[in-house]
DNA sequence: TTGACAAACTAATGATATTAGTTTATAAAC
DNA sequence: GTTTATAAACTAATATCATTAGTTTGTCAA
């Protein structure tokens, strides 16, 4: 019964993310279940996170980091519509792979969450560049980005909520939606 | 200290909806706060709802009913793009007016929730009709509906989550998104 | 070897949903 | 009008939750 000392915030958050993704929702991870998975007692978690809310903040950052890794990789070397479609696919893949923590990445970070804020800004910059390569600038580009994010978040959320019940290929629906929007934007 | 007997399930759910919408989230309504608002003790609520989950089911149906009232009214007598734009505006207005219960209306109802299922189907039928008046039928229409719902849910959710931080008119973003999509669909 | 501290622990608190068992107001039947 | 059945309130109690306070102990650096 040793008092292990190897536990780091990162390990705690990683484990929490694993539990959340297995269950498909953050609500499934309580301090009790998380502590059990880490083989410690619930109060000991407070050595690594300040509160349940702080754990969620940590999960959001953890998710945002991974999301951006995937999006950067997906868009590497691509421009215009090709870049946007590849990024959109990667976004959707991320939501499917990490259904538990994805919703946390959506909430706007507080100003003091500097890394999360930076990642959010990077995402906007990345999309702005793609819109520019489609010929959109200034306010047009901002409106276009808002629309794209609405599409990505909306489609993947409804998918996850099992709201599309008709047996018709969802990949196809996704690409049609994106292409229709991009056609409409650029015509 | 009378044992009042006027309390009905509808009243309980109405009060719960009011609390949820005031706070902007269902998570704000516990059986304790709800009981307090109704001036009864928490266990007494079990005379009207089977559980917290059942209360949420009730709230979802309550919301879905109102949403459909608004959408029917908004689209009355309109066809094609005009009908879709009016319906979309009404949808967005509903989300703004009822931020607490809107998210519950998104989850797909279980088959035994007959009225909720019927309302869901009515929504699909309504949108199918509009798509038909745009010239879309069959699978094309289904894909188009999925896209539209993704847009409506995605845009309003991101708005509510305060994810659009740049000071640029959100009405404008919404209409540009819809029009771009509809342009892309019908070209 | 020692001493400081991070990280674990136990114990306790207040909020939560929920169940069991009890009382009582009210509406219908007599 | 009195009786009675029951819906709807109640009290009491339980298990689980996040959280705080105070205590112990392993480990690393001096």
């Amino acid at each position: 019964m040793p008092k292990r000392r190897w536990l780091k915030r990162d390990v705690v958050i990683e484990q929490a993310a694993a539990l959340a993704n297995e269950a498909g929702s953050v609500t499934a991870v309580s301090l009790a279940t998380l502590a059990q998975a880490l083989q410690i007692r619930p109060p000991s978690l407070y050595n690594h996170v300040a509160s349940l809310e702080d754990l969620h903040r940590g999960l959001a950052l953890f998710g945002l980091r991974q999301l951006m890794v995937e999006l950067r990789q997906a868009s590497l070397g691509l421009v215009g519509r090709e870049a946007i479609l590849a990024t959109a696919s990667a976004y959707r893949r991320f939501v499917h792979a990490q259904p538990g923590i994805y919703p946390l990445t959506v909430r706007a970070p507080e100003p003091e969450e500097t890394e999360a804020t930076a990642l959010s800004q990077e995402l906007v910059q990345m999309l702005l560049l793609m819109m520019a390569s489609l010929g959109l600038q200034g306010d047009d580009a901002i409106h276009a980005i808002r629309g794209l994010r609405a599409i990505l978040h909306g489609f993947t959320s409804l998918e996850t909520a099992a709201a599309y019940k008709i047996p018709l290929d969802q990949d196809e629906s996704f690409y049609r939606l994106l292409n229709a929007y991009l056609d409409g934007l650029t015509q």
Side-chain angles (χ1 to χ4, degrees), chain A residues 28-137:
Chain A
V29 31
S30 69
L31 294 189
T33 59
L34 178 54
Q36 188 171 26
L38 292 167
Q39 312 215 55
I40 60 175
R41 306 289 174 150
S44 307
L45 286 169
Y46 286 84
N47 288 310
H48 307 287
V49 295
S51 65
L52 187 64
E53 192 192 333
D54 183 46
L55 174 65
H56 290 165
R57 250 193 305 277
L59 283 171
L61 178 56
F62 180 75
L64 217 45
R65 278 194 196 126
Q66 293 185 62
L67 176 60
M68 286 311 295
V69 167
E70 313 259 351
L71 298 191
R72 280 185 216 114
Q73 205 164 52
S75 66
L76 210 69
L78 303 177
V79 292
R81 183 179 289 230
E82 242 189 325
I84 294 176
L85 291 177
T87 304
S89 288
Y91 189 101
R92 182 162 171 252
R93 247 180 284 120
F94 176 81
V95 178
H96 291 161
Q98 317 243 5
I101 59 175
Y102 164 69
L104 294 173
T105 68
V106 173
R107 80 182 220 312
E110 299 294 320
E112 63 265 27
E113 302 178 62
T114 55
E115 190 183 346
T117 302
L119 287 168
S120 276
Q121 283 171 352
E122 186 193 342
L123 176 56
V124 172
Q125 289 308 314
M126 189 173 147
L127 296 176
L128 272 178
L129 232 71
M130 293 179 194
M131 291 302 168
S133 71
L134 276 188
L136 294 170
Q137 285 156 15

Side-chain angles (χ1 to χ4, degrees), chain A residues 159-182:
Chain A
E159 245 185 331
T160 305
Y164 296 140
K165 283 174 295 192
I166 297 165
L168 185 66
D169 189 24
Q170 299 192 350
D171 292 6
E172 172 81 13
S173 294
F174 186 61
Y175 286 108
R176 286 199 190 202
L177 167 56
L178 280 172
N179 281 308
Y181 178 58
L182 294 175

